[in-house]
Coordinates of all heavy atoms in Angstrom, one line a residue:
M6 N -1.8 -38.9 -29.4 CA -1.4 -38.8 -28.0 C -0.4 -37.7 -27.8 O -0.5 -37.0 -26.8 CB -0.8 -40.2 -27.6 CG -0.5 -40.3 -26.2 SD -1.9 -40.4 -25.2 CE -1.3 -40.8 -23.7
K7 N 0.5 -37.5 -28.8 CA 1.5 -36.4 -28.6 C 0.8 -35.1 -28.6 O 1.2 -34.2 -27.8 CB 2.5 -36.5 -29.8 CG 3.6 -35.5 -29.6 CD 4.6 -35.7 -30.8 CE 5.7 -34.7 -30.6 NZ 6.7 -34.8 -31.6
K8 N -0.2 -34.8 -29.4 CA -0.9 -33.6 -29.4 C -1.6 -33.3 -28.1 O -1.6 -32.2 -27.5 CB -2.0 -33.5 -30.5 CG -1.3 -33.3 -31.9 CD -2.4 -33.1 -32.9 CE -1.8 -33.0 -34.3 NZ -2.8 -32.8 -35.3
L9 N -2.2 -34.4 -27.5 CA -2.9 -34.3 -26.2 C -1.9 -33.9 -25.1 O -2.1 -33.0 -24.3 CB -3.6 -35.6 -25.8 CG -4.3 -35.6 -24.5 CD1 -5.4 -34.5 -24.4 CD2 -4.8 -36.9 -24.1
F10 N -0.7 -34.5 -25.1 CA 0.4 -34.2 -24.2 C 0.8 -32.7 -24.3 O 0.9 -32.0 -23.3 CB 1.6 -35.1 -24.4 CG 2.7 -34.7 -23.5 CD1 2.7 -35.0 -22.1 CD2 3.8 -34.1 -24.0 CE1 3.7 -34.7 -21.3 CE2 4.9 -33.7 -23.1 CZ 4.8 -34.0 -21.8
T11 N 0.9 -32.2 -25.6 CA 1.3 -30.9 -25.8 C 0.3 -29.9 -25.3 O 0.6 -28.9 -24.7 CB 1.6 -30.6 -27.3 OG1 2.6 -31.5 -27.8 CG2 2.0 -29.2 -27.6
L12 N -1.0 -30.2 -25.5 CA -2.1 -29.3 -25.1 C -2.1 -29.2 -23.6 O -2.5 -28.2 -23.0 CB -3.4 -29.8 -25.6 CG -3.6 -29.7 -27.2 CD1 -4.9 -30.3 -27.6 CD2 -3.6 -28.2 -27.6
V13 N -1.8 -30.3 -22.9 CA -1.8 -30.3 -21.4 C -0.5 -29.7 -20.9 O -0.5 -28.9 -19.9 CB -2.0 -31.7 -20.9 CG1 -1.8 -31.7 -19.4 CG2 -3.3 -32.2 -21.3
A14 N 0.6 -29.9 -21.5 CA 1.9 -29.5 -21.0 C 2.1 -28.0 -21.2 O 2.7 -27.4 -20.3 CB 3.0 -30.3 -21.7
L15 N 1.7 -27.4 -22.3 CA 1.9 -26.0 -22.5 C 1.3 -25.1 -21.5 O 2.0 -24.2 -20.9 CB 1.5 -25.6 -23.9 CG 2.4 -26.1 -25.1 CD1 1.8 -25.7 -26.4 CD2 3.8 -25.5 -24.9
P16 N 0.0 -25.3 -21.1 CA -0.5 -24.4 -20.1 C 0.2 -24.6 -18.7 O 0.4 -23.7 -17.9 CB -2.0 -24.8 -20.0 CG -2.3 -25.4 -21.3 CD -1.0 -26.0 -21.8
L17 N 0.5 -25.9 -18.4 CA 1.2 -26.2 -17.2 C 2.6 -25.5 -17.1 O 2.9 -24.9 -16.1 CB 1.4 -27.7 -17.0 CG 2.1 -28.2 -15.8 CD1 1.3 -27.8 -14.6 CD2 2.2 -29.7 -15.8
A18 N 3.3 -25.6 -18.2 CA 4.6 -24.9 -18.3 C 4.5 -23.4 -18.1 O 5.3 -22.8 -17.4 CB 5.3 -25.3 -19.6
A19 N 3.5 -22.9 -18.8 CA 3.3 -21.4 -18.7 C 2.9 -21.0 -17.2 O 3.4 -20.0 -16.7 CB 2.2 -21.0 -19.6
S20 N 2.1 -21.8 -16.6 CA 1.7 -21.4 -15.2 C 2.9 -21.6 -14.3 O 3.1 -20.8 -13.3 CB 0.5 -22.3 -14.7 OG 0.9 -23.6 -14.6
L21 N 3.8 -22.6 -14.5 CA 4.9 -22.8 -13.7 C 5.9 -21.6 -13.8 O 6.5 -21.1 -12.9 CB 5.6 -24.1 -13.9 CG 4.9 -25.3 -13.5 CD1 5.6 -26.6 -13.9 CD2 4.7 -25.3 -12.0
S22 N 6.1 -21.2 -15.1 CA 7.0 -20.1 -15.3 C 6.5 -18.8 -14.7 O 7.2 -17.9 -14.3 CB 7.3 -19.9 -16.8 OG 6.1 -19.5 -17.5
A23 N 5.2 -18.6 -14.7 CA 4.6 -17.4 -14.1 C 4.8 -17.4 -12.6 O 4.7 -16.3 -12.0 CB 3.1 -17.4 -14.4
C24 N 4.9 -18.5 -12.0 CA 5.1 -18.6 -10.5 C 6.6 -18.5 -10.1 O 6.9 -18.7 -9.0 CB 4.5 -19.9 -10.0 SG 2.7 -20.0 -10.2
G25 N 7.5 -18.3 -11.1 CA 8.9 -18.3 -10.8 C 9.3 -17.0 -10.0 O 8.4 -16.3 -9.5
Q26 N 10.6 -16.8 -9.9 CA 11.1 -15.7 -9.2 C 10.7 -14.4 -9.8 O 10.6 -14.3 -11.1 CB 12.6 -15.8 -9.2 CG 13.3 -15.1 -8.1 CD 14.8 -15.5 -8.0 OE1 15.4 -16.0 -9.0 NE2 15.4 -15.3 -6.9
D27 N 10.5 -13.4 -9.0 CA 10.1 -12.1 -9.5 C 11.3 -11.4 -10.2 O 12.4 -11.6 -9.8 CB 9.7 -11.1 -8.4 CG 8.3 -11.5 -7.8 OD1 7.6 -12.3 -8.5 OD2 7.9 -11.0 -6.7
S28 N 10.9 -10.6 -11.2 CA 12.0 -9.8 -11.9 C 12.4 -8.7 -11.0 O 11.8 -8.4 -10.0 CB 11.4 -9.3 -13.2 OG 10.5 -8.3 -13.0
A29 N 13.5 -8.0 -11.4 CA 13.9 -6.9 -10.6 C 12.9 -5.8 -10.5 O 12.7 -5.2 -9.5 CB 15.2 -6.3 -11.2
V30 N 12.2 -5.6 -11.6 CA 11.1 -4.6 -11.6 C 10.0 -5.0 -10.6 O 9.5 -4.1 -9.9 CB 10.5 -4.4 -13.0 CG1 9.3 -3.4 -13.0 CG2 11.6 -3.8 -13.9
E31 N 9.6 -6.2 -10.7 CA 8.6 -6.7 -9.7 C 9.0 -6.6 -8.3 O 8.2 -6.3 -7.4 CB 8.2 -8.2 -10.1 CG 7.4 -8.3 -11.4 CD 7.2 -9.7 -11.8 OE1 8.1 -10.6 -11.6 OE2 6.2 -10.0 -12.4
E32 N 10.3 -6.9 -8.1 CA 10.8 -6.7 -6.7 C 10.7 -5.3 -6.2 O 10.4 -5.0 -5.1 CB 12.3 -7.2 -6.7 CG 12.5 -8.7 -6.8 CD 12.0 -9.4 -5.6 OE1 12.0 -8.9 -4.5 OE2 11.6 -10.6 -5.8
R33 N 11.1 -4.3 -7.1 CA 10.9 -2.9 -6.8 C 9.5 -2.5 -6.5 O 9.2 -1.8 -5.6 CB 11.5 -2.0 -7.9 CG 13.0 -2.0 -7.9 CD 13.6 -0.9 -8.7 NE 13.2 -0.9 -10.1 CZ 13.8 -1.5 -11.1 NH1 14.8 -2.3 -10.9 NH2 13.3 -1.5 -12.3
G34 N 8.6 -3.1 -7.3 CA 7.2 -2.9 -7.0 C 6.7 -3.4 -5.7 O 6.0 -2.8 -5.0
D35 N 7.2 -4.6 -5.3 CA 6.9 -5.2 -4.0 C 7.5 -4.2 -2.9 O 6.8 -4.0 -1.8 CB 7.6 -6.6 -3.8 CG 6.9 -7.6 -4.7 OD1 5.7 -7.3 -5.2 OD2 7.5 -8.7 -4.9
M36 N 8.7 -3.7 -3.1 CA 9.2 -2.8 -2.1 C 8.4 -1.5 -2.0 O 8.2 -1.0 -0.9 CB 10.7 -2.4 -2.4 CG 11.6 -3.6 -2.1 SD 13.4 -3.1 -2.2 CE 13.6 -2.9 -4.0
L37 N 7.9 -1.0 -3.1 CA 7.0 0.2 -3.1 C 5.8 -0.1 -2.3 O 5.3 0.7 -1.6 CB 6.7 0.6 -4.5 CG 7.7 1.6 -5.2 CD1 7.3 1.8 -6.6 CD2 7.8 2.8 -4.4
E38 N 5.2 -1.3 -2.5 CA 4.0 -1.7 -1.8 C 4.3 -1.7 -0.3 O 3.4 -1.3 0.5 CB 3.5 -3.0 -2.2 CG 2.8 -3.0 -3.6 CD 2.4 -4.3 -4.1 OE1 2.8 -5.4 -3.6 OE2 1.5 -4.4 -5.0
E39 N 5.4 -2.2 0.1 CA 5.8 -2.2 1.5 C 6.0 -0.8 2.1 O 5.5 -0.5 3.2 CB 7.1 -3.0 1.8 CG 6.9 -4.5 1.5 CD 8.2 -5.3 1.6 OE1 9.2 -4.8 2.1 OE2 8.1 -6.5 1.2
R40 N 6.6 0.0 1.2 CA 6.7 1.4 1.6 C 5.4 2.1 1.8 O 5.1 2.9 2.7 CB 7.6 2.2 0.6 CG 7.7 3.6 1.0 CD 8.9 4.2 0.6 NE 8.8 5.6 1.2 CZ 9.5 6.6 0.7 NH1 10.4 6.4 -0.2 NH2 9.4 7.8 1.2
A41 N 4.5 1.8 0.9 CA 3.1 2.4 0.9 C 2.4 2.0 2.2 O 1.8 2.8 2.9 CB 2.3 1.9 -0.3
D42 N 2.6 0.7 2.6 CA 2.0 0.3 3.9 C 2.6 1.1 5.1 O 1.9 1.5 6.0 CB 2.2 -1.2 4.1 CG 1.4 -2.0 3.2 OD1 0.4 -1.5 2.6 OD2 1.7 -3.2 3.0
A43 N 3.9 1.3 5.0 CA 4.6 2.0 6.1 C 4.1 3.5 6.1 O 3.9 4.0 7.2 CB 6.1 1.9 5.9
V44 N 4.0 4.1 5.0 CA 3.6 5.5 4.9 C 2.2 5.6 5.5 O 1.9 6.5 6.3 CB 3.6 6.0 3.5 CG1 2.8 7.3 3.3 CG2 5.1 6.2 3.0
E45 N 1.3 4.7 5.1 CA -0.1 4.7 5.6 C -0.1 4.5 7.1 O -0.8 5.2 7.8 CB -0.9 3.7 4.9 CG -2.4 3.8 5.2 CD -3.2 2.8 4.4 OE1 -2.7 1.9 3.7 OE2 -4.5 3.0 4.4
N46 N 0.7 3.6 7.6 CA 0.8 3.4 9.1 C 1.3 4.6 9.8 O 0.7 4.9 10.9 CB 1.7 2.2 9.4 CG 1.0 0.9 9.0 OD1 -0.2 0.8 8.8 ND2 1.8 -0.2 8.8
V47 N 2.3 5.3 9.3 CA 2.8 6.5 10.0 C 1.7 7.5 10.0 O 1.5 8.2 11.0 CB 4.0 7.0 9.2 CG1 4.4 8.4 9.7 CG2 5.2 6.1 9.5
G48 N 1.0 7.7 8.9 CA -0.1 8.7 8.9 C -1.2 8.3 9.9 O -1.7 9.2 10.6
D49 N -1.5 7.0 9.9 CA -2.6 6.6 10.9 C -2.1 6.8 12.3 O -2.9 7.3 13.1 CB -2.9 5.1 10.7 CG -3.6 4.8 9.4 OD1 -4.1 5.8 8.7 OD2 -3.7 3.6 9.0
D50 N -0.8 6.5 12.6 CA -0.3 6.7 14.0 C -0.3 8.2 14.4 O -0.8 8.5 15.5 CB 1.1 6.1 14.1 CG 1.1 4.6 14.0 OD1 0.1 4.0 14.1 OD2 2.3 4.1 13.8
R51 N 0.1 9.0 13.5 CA 0.2 10.5 13.8 C -1.3 11.0 13.9 O -1.5 11.8 14.8 CB 0.9 11.2 12.7 CG 1.0 12.7 12.9 CD 1.9 13.0 14.2 NE 1.9 14.4 14.4 CZ 1.7 15.0 15.6 NH1 1.6 14.2 16.7 NH2 1.7 16.3 15.7
A52 N -2.2 10.6 13.1 CA -3.6 11.0 13.2 C -4.1 10.6 14.5 O -4.9 11.3 15.2 CB -4.4 10.5 12.0
G53 N -3.8 9.4 14.9 CA -4.3 8.9 16.2 C -3.8 9.7 17.4 O -4.5 10.0 18.3
Q54 N -2.5 10.1 17.3 CA -1.9 10.9 18.3 C -2.7 12.3 18.4 O -3.0 12.8 19.5 CB -0.4 11.2 18.1 CG 0.4 10.0 18.3 CD 1.8 10.2 17.8 OE1 2.1 11.1 17.0 NE2 2.7 9.3 18.1
L55 N -2.9 12.8 17.2 CA -3.7 14.1 17.2 C -5.1 14.0 17.8 O -5.6 14.9 18.5 CB -3.7 14.7 15.8 CG -2.3 15.2 15.3 CD1 -2.4 15.4 13.8 CD2 -2.0 16.5 16.0
E56 N -5.7 12.9 17.5 CA -7.1 12.6 18.0 C -7.0 12.5 19.5 O -8.0 13.0 20.2 CB -7.7 11.4 17.3 CG -8.1 11.6 15.9 CD -8.4 10.4 15.2 OE1 -8.2 9.3 15.7 OE2 -8.9 10.5 14.0
E57 N -6.0 11.9 20.0 CA -5.9 11.8 21.5 C -5.7 13.1 22.1 O -6.3 13.4 23.2 CB -4.7 10.8 21.9 CG -5.0 9.4 21.6 CD -3.8 8.5 21.9 OE1 -2.9 8.9 22.6 OE2 -3.8 7.3 21.5
M58 N -4.9 14.0 21.5 CA -4.7 15.3 21.9 C -6.0 16.1 21.9 O -6.3 16.9 22.8 CB -3.6 16.0 21.1 CG -2.2 15.5 21.3 SD -1.0 16.1 20.1 CE -1.0 17.9 20.5
A59 N -6.8 15.9 20.9 CA -8.0 16.5 20.7 C -9.0 16.1 21.9 O -9.7 17.0 22.4 CB -8.7 16.2 19.4
D60 N -8.9 14.9 22.2 CA -9.8 14.4 23.3 C -9.5 15.1 24.6 O -10.3 15.3 25.5 CB -9.7 12.9 23.5 CG -10.3 12.1 22.4 OD1 -11.1 12.7 21.6 OD2 -10.0 10.9 22.2
E61 N -8.2 15.5 24.8 CA -7.8 16.2 26.0 C -7.7 17.7 25.9 O -7.3 18.4 26.8 CB -6.4 15.6 26.4 CG -6.4 14.1 26.7 CD -5.0 13.5 26.8 OE1 -4.0 14.3 26.8 OE2 -4.9 12.3 26.9
A62 N -8.2 18.2 24.8 CA -8.1 19.7 24.6 C -9.0 20.4 25.6 O -10.0 19.9 26.0 CB -8.5 20.0 23.1
N63 N -8.5 21.6 25.9 CA -9.2 22.4 27.0 C -10.3 23.3 26.4 O -11.1 23.9 27.2 CB -8.2 23.2 27.8 CG -7.3 24.1 27.0 OD1 -7.4 24.1 25.8 ND2 -6.4 24.7 27.7
T64 N -10.4 23.4 25.1 CA -11.5 24.2 24.5 C -12.0 23.4 23.3 O -11.3 22.6 22.7 CB -11.0 25.6 24.0 OG1 -10.1 25.4 22.9 CG2 -10.3 26.4 25.1
D65 N -13.3 23.7 23.0 CA -13.9 23.1 21.8 C -13.2 23.5 20.5 O -13.0 22.7 19.6 CB -15.4 23.5 21.7 CG -16.2 22.8 22.8 OD1 -15.7 21.8 23.4 OD2 -17.3 23.2 23.0
A66 N -12.7 24.7 20.4 CA -12.0 25.2 19.2 C -10.7 24.4 19.0 O -10.4 24.1 17.9 CB -11.8 26.7 19.4
R67 N -10.0 24.2 20.1 CA -8.7 23.5 20.0 C -9.0 22.0 19.6 O -8.3 21.5 18.8 CB -8.0 23.5 21.4 CG -6.7 22.8 21.4 CD -5.7 23.6 20.6 NE -4.4 22.8 20.7 CZ -3.5 22.8 19.8 NH1 -3.7 23.4 18.7 NH2 -2.4 22.1 20.0
E68 N -10.1 21.4 20.2 CA -10.4 20.1 19.9 C -10.8 20.0 18.4 O -10.3 19.1 17.7 CB -11.6 19.6 20.7 CG -12.1 18.2 20.4 CD -13.2 17.7 21.2 OE1 -13.8 18.5 22.0 OE2 -13.6 16.6 21.1
D69 N -11.6 20.9 17.9 CA -11.9 20.9 16.5 C -10.7 21.1 15.6 O -10.6 20.4 14.5 CB -13.0 22.0 16.2 CG -14.3 21.8 16.8 OD1 -14.6 20.6 17.2 OD2 -15.1 22.7 16.9
A70 N -9.8 21.9 16.0 CA -8.6 22.2 15.2 C -7.7 20.9 15.1 O -7.2 20.5 14.0 CB -7.8 23.4 15.7
L71 N -7.6 20.3 16.2 CA -6.8 19.0 16.3 C -7.4 17.9 15.5 O -6.7 17.1 14.8 CB -6.5 18.6 17.7 CG -5.5 19.5 18.5 CD1 -5.6 19.2 20.0 CD2 -4.1 19.3 17.9
N72 N -8.7 17.8 15.6 CA -9.4 16.8 14.8 C -9.3 17.0 13.3 O -9.2 16.1 12.5 CB -10.9 16.6 15.3 CG -11.1 15.8 16.5 OD1 -10.3 14.9 16.8 ND2 -12.0 16.2 17.3
A73 N -9.4 18.3 12.9 CA -9.3 18.6 11.5 C -7.9 18.3 11.0 O -7.7 17.8 9.9 CB -9.6 20.1 11.3
R74 N -6.9 18.6 11.9 CA -5.5 18.3 11.5 C -5.3 16.8 11.4 O -4.6 16.3 10.5 CB -4.5 18.9 12.5 CG -3.1 18.7 12.2 CD -2.7 19.4 11.0 NE -1.3 19.1 10.6 CZ -0.8 18.9 9.4 NH1 -1.6 19.1 8.4 NH2 0.4 18.6 9.2
A75 N -5.9 16.0 12.3 CA -5.8 14.6 12.3 C -6.3 14.0 11.0 O -5.8 13.1 10.4 CB -6.5 14.0 13.5
E76 N -7.5 14.6 10.6 CA -8.1 14.1 9.4 C -7.2 14.4 8.2 O -7.1 13.6 7.3 CB -9.5 14.7 9.2 CG -10.3 14.2 8.1 CD -11.7 14.6 8.0 OE1 -12.3 14.9 9.1 OE2 -12.2 14.8 6.9
A77 N -6.6 15.6 8.2 CA -5.8 16.0 7.1 C -4.5 15.1 7.0 O -4.1 14.7 5.9 CB -5.4 17.5 7.2
V78 N -3.9 14.9 8.1 CA -2.7 14.0 8.2 C -3.1 12.6 7.7 O -2.3 12.0 6.9 CB -2.2 13.9 9.6 CG1 -1.2 12.8 9.8 CG2 -1.5 15.3 10.0
D79 N -4.2 12.1 8.1 CA -4.7 10.8 7.7 C -4.9 10.7 6.2 O -4.4 9.8 5.5 CB -5.9 10.4 8.4 CG -6.3 8.9 8.1 OD1 -5.5 8.0 8.2 OD2 -7.5 8.7 7.8
D80 N -5.5 11.8 5.6 CA -5.8 11.9 4.2 C -4.5 11.9 3.4 O -4.3 11.3 2.4 CB -6.6 13.1 3.9 CG -8.1 12.9 4.3 OD1 -8.5 11.7 4.6 OD2 -8.8 13.9 4.4
I81 N -3.5 12.7 3.9 CA -2.2 12.9 3.2 C -1.5 11.5 3.2 O -1.0 11.1 2.1 CB -1.3 13.9 3.9 CG1 -1.9 15.3 3.7 CG2 0.1 13.8 3.5 CD1 -1.3 16.4 4.6
G82 N -1.5 10.8 4.3 CA -0.9 9.5 4.3 C -1.6 8.5 3.4 O -0.9 7.7 2.6
D83 N -2.9 8.5 3.4 CA -3.7 7.6 2.5 C -3.4 8.0 1.0 O -3.2 7.0 0.2 CB -5.2 7.7 2.8 CG -5.6 7.1 4.1 OD1 -4.7 6.4 4.7 OD2 -6.7 7.4 4.5
D84 N -3.4 9.2 0.7 CA -3.1 9.7 -0.7 C -1.7 9.3 -1.2 O -1.5 8.8 -2.3 CB -3.3 11.2 -0.9 CG -4.7 11.6 -0.7 OD1 -5.7 10.7 -0.8 OD2 -5.0 12.8 -0.5
R85 N -0.7 9.5 -0.3 CA 0.7 9.1 -0.6 C 0.8 7.6 -0.8 O 1.4 7.1 -1.7 CB 1.6 9.6 0.4 CG 3.1 9.3 0.2 CD 3.6 10.0 -1.1 NE 5.0 9.7 -1.3 CZ 5.5 9.4 -2.4 NH1 4.8 9.4 -3.5 NH2 6.7 9.1 -2.5
A86 N 0.2 6.8 0.1 CA 0.2 5.4 0.0 C -0.5 4.9 -1.3 O 0.0 4.0 -2.0 CB -0.5 4.7 1.2
E87 N -1.6 5.5 -1.6 CA -2.3 5.2 -2.9 C -1.4 5.4 -4.1 O -1.4 4.6 -5.0 CB -3.6 5.9 -3.0 CG -4.4 5.5 -4.2 CD -5.8 6.3 -4.2 OE1 -6.2 6.7 -3.2 OE2 -6.3 6.3 -5.3
A88 N -0.7 6.6 -4.1 CA 0.2 6.9 -5.2 C 1.3 5.9 -5.3 O 1.6 5.4 -6.5 CB 0.7 8.3 -5.1
L89 N 1.9 5.5 -4.2 CA 2.9 4.5 -4.2 C 2.4 3.1 -4.7 O 3.1 2.4 -5.5 CB 3.5 4.3 -2.8 CG 4.4 5.5 -2.4 CD1 4.7 5.3 -0.9 CD2 5.7 5.5 -3.2
N90 N 1.2 2.8 -4.3 CA 0.6 1.5 -4.7 C 0.3 1.5 -6.2 O 0.5 0.5 -6.9 CB -0.7 1.2 -3.9 CG -0.3 0.5 -2.6 OD1 0.5 -0.3 -2.5 ND2 -1.1 0.9 -1.6
E91 N -0.1 2.6 -6.7 CA -0.4 2.7 -8.2 C 0.9 2.6 -9.0 O 0.9 1.9 -10.0 CB -1.1 4.1 -8.5 CG -2.5 4.1 -8.1 CD -3.1 5.5 -8.3 OE1 -2.5 6.4 -8.9 OE2 -4.3 5.7 -7.9
R92 N 2.0 3.2 -8.5 CA 3.3 3.0 -9.2 C 3.7 1.5 -9.1 O 4.3 1.0 -10.1 CB 4.4 3.9 -8.6 CG 4.3 5.3 -9.1 CD 5.4 6.2 -8.7 NE 6.7 5.6 -8.5 CZ 7.6 6.0 -7.6 NH1 7.3 7.0 -6.8 NH2 8.8 5.4 -7.4
A93 N 3.5 0.9 -7.9 CA 3.9 -0.5 -7.8 C 3.1 -1.4 -8.7 O 3.6 -2.3 -9.3 CB 3.7 -0.9 -6.3
D94 N 1.8 -1.1 -8.9 CA 1.0 -1.9 -9.8 C 1.5 -1.9 -11.2 O 1.4 -2.8 -11.9 CB -0.5 -1.4 -9.8 CG -1.2 -1.7 -8.5 OD1 -0.7 -2.6 -7.7 OD2 -2.2 -1.1 -8.2
T95 N 2.1 -0.7 -11.6 CA 2.6 -0.7 -13.0 C 3.8 -1.5 -13.2 O 4.2 -1.8 -14.3 CB 2.9 0.8 -13.4 OG1 4.0 1.3 -12.6 CG2 1.7 1.7 -13.3
M96 N 4.5 -1.9 -12.1 CA 5.7 -2.7 -12.1 C 5.4 -4.2 -12.1 O 6.3 -5.0 -12.3 CB 6.6 -2.3 -11.0 CG 7.1 -0.9 -11.0 SD 8.1 -0.5 -9.6 CE 8.8 1.0 -10.1
E97 N 4.2 -4.6 -11.9 CA 3.9 -6.0 -11.8 C 3.3 -6.5 -13.0 O 2.9 -6.0 -13.9 CB 3.0 -6.2 -10.6 CG 3.6 -5.9 -9.3 CD 2.7 -6.1 -8.1 OE1 1.5 -6.1 -8.3 OE2 3.2 -6.1 -7.0

């Protein structure tokens, strides 16, 4: 009976300790993930503004240039957010 209790108690204890408070490194990882979300949102917002400007452009060339810039800004934000998330993943 004692062996059965030990076999049941050990995985339970391990799972409870895994659900405990995050370490300082994990907390920094969580903050990086939040920052990544913010960076991505800023890029998305700025790209959206550029797309709106493109919609109101007075020439096709200007519209194309603004749309290209919007895409570049969005890509930069996505790439930066991805890099931050990758660093955060190594902390967890």
Side-chain angles (χ1 to χ4, degrees):
M6 183 73 168
K7 184 176 181 181
K8 285 185 181 182
L9 178 62
F10 176 74
T11 303
L12 291 175
V13 172
L15 286 177
L17 179 62
S20 68
L21 288 176
S22 66
C24 295
Q26 203 170 20
D27 285 347
S28 70
V30 173
E31 290 172 326
E32 289 291 331
R33 285 194 303 271
D35 291 344
M36 286 190 289
L37 274 176
E38 288 176 341
E39 290 175 12
R40 175 146 186 206
D42 290 342
V44 166
E45 188 172 12
N46 289 340
V47 168
D49 290 346
D50 291 345
R51 182 64 184 135
Q54 291 170 345
L55 288 166
E56 288 170 351
E57 287 178 17
M58 291 170 60
D60 289 343
E61 298 171 6
N63 54 2
T64 66
D65 288 343
R67 180 73 177 147
E68 180 180 4
D69 291 343
L71 287 168
N72 279 326
R74 182 67 186 144
E76 188 172 328
V78 166
D79 188 47
D80 289 345
I81 290 167
D83 290 347
D84 291 346
R85 180 66 180 135
E87 184 177 339
L89 288 168
N90 277 320
E91 286 174 6
R92 277 188 32 212
D94 288 345
T95 65
M96 296 179 169
E97 294 177 344

